[in-house]
Amino acid sequence: MSADDMSDGAAPHDPSPPVRVLLAEDQVLIRDSFKVLVDATPGLAVVGEAGTGTEAVLLARRHRPDVVLMDVRMPGMDGIEATGHICADPACAGVRVLILTTFDLDEYVYASLRAGASGFLLKSATAAELLSAIRVVASGEALLAPTVTRRLITEFLQGSHPAQVVRGLDDVTPREREVLTLVGRGMSNAEIAGHLHLTVGTVKTHIGRLLAKLRARDRAQLVIAAYEGGLVTGQDGRR
């Protein structure tokens, strides 16, 4: 009689692999706190720790985590430059970067998103918000605090950053432009569907095509494309 025959017939338990997290934070006490929190949470696991941007890039290439929790201000290579290296590296194609920032770093937030970050989290966030943010980014979503993100980008773009022509925007259909505009305004898929009288599935299809045409990693990059392409202005971004 095989082991299977002796079993009670229940299917073997095959838990999903944990979300693998790389911590990039130069302050050891904060980094240790993040590690304790993440490792104590079911479904999450720390696979590496970096104290500089250079270390973050090296460890991202070595471990290929699902999410890099990246501080902006670190000695040597900062978090923005490190994010750019990670997001541009084909070996790190599946790695997503979640930036840690504060309200007074508007320019850093914008630069981080342009560098390829999937979103950002304010350092005033609670432990529950941090854990939720990691899961959301790992799942492929972005813009973890849409209202704040929109506010920061809007205020920064009212400065010295005029609209630019984004490569690939000429290939976007009129309907896709409408969807991209609403993504840039911070609307969810359900809100876009209601606004354009489409199904949520159709909106997801349009967003998938936009990601491919604009060579965007995720929704965060579509927001940047909407602003830089002139589809959304600073005033449009306000709600």
Side-chain angles (χ1 to χ4, degrees):
M1 182 179 290
S2 69
D4 288 339
D5 292 332
M6 292 187 293
S7 71
D8 60 6
H13 182 56
D14 182 21
S16 300
V19 174
R20 303 167 69 251
V21 182
L22 171 63
L23 304 176
E25 164 65 59
D26 64 318
Q27 297 186 46
V28 177
L29 183 60
I30 295 178
R31 192 170 70 240
D32 285 349
S33 298
F34 287 156
K35 178 175 173 56
V36 170
L37 176 64
V38 172
D39 280 340
T41 302
L44 302 180
V46 173
V47 296
E49 301 175 57
T52 67
T54 300
E55 290 178 353
V57 173
L58 293 175
L59 291 178
R61 290 169 177 165
R62 180 184 305 168
H63 298 296
R64 299 182 186 180
D66 299 301
V67 176
V68 180
L69 189 60
M70 181 81 75
D71 187 24
V72 172
R73 291 182 172 177
M74 290 186 288
M77 182 188 296
D78 65 19
I80 296 173
E81 186 177 354
T83 296
H85 283 293
I86 292 171
C87 294
D89 191 339
C92 297
V95 178
R96 297 183 180 277
V97 179
L98 171 59
I99 294 289
L100 285 171
T101 187
T102 56
F103 277 112
D104 61 341
L105 297 179
D106 293 5
E107 183 170 352
Y108 290 160
V109 171
Y110 182 77
S112 298
L113 293 175
R114 289 197 65 192
S118 292
F120 73 94
L121 189 69
L122 299 176
K123 283 192 171 181
S124 59
T126 65
E129 289 170 337
L130 171 62
L131 297 174
S132 175
I134 291 173
R135 291 191 181 98
V136 169
V137 167
S139 72
E141 294 298 326
L143 292 178
L144 308 177
T147 302
V148 179
T149 303
R150 190 165 55 246
R151 167 186 169 272
L152 292 173
I153 295 177
T154 296
E155 291 185 359
F156 183 62
L157 289 184
Q158 286 178 328
S160 58
H161 291 261
Q164 304 171 15
V165 176
V166 178
R167 182 173 64 177
L169 203 60
D170 289 341
D171 297 328
V172 172
T173 67
R175 176 61 87 184
E176 289 166 352
R177 283 175 178 262
E178 288 181 308
V179 172
L180 181 59
T181 299
L182 298 180
V183 169
R185 291 178 182 172
M187 288 190 182
S188 66
N189 288 353
E191 290 173 329
I192 294 172
H195 189 83
L196 297 179
H197 305 291
L198 302 172
T199 66
V200 172
T202 299
V203 172
K204 289 181 179 179
T205 298
H206 284 310
I207 289 177
R209 290 172 180 166
L210 285 166
L211 290 170
K213 289 182 178 182
L214 300 180
R215 301 179 184 178
R217 289 171 62 92
D218 51 36
R219 201 180 189 95
Q221 299 302 294
L222 292 183
V223 172
I224 296 299
Y227 275 94
E228 291 190 334
L231 299 182
V232 179
T233 66
Q235 189 62 35
D236 290 334
R238 296 185 183 277
R239 273 184 161 184

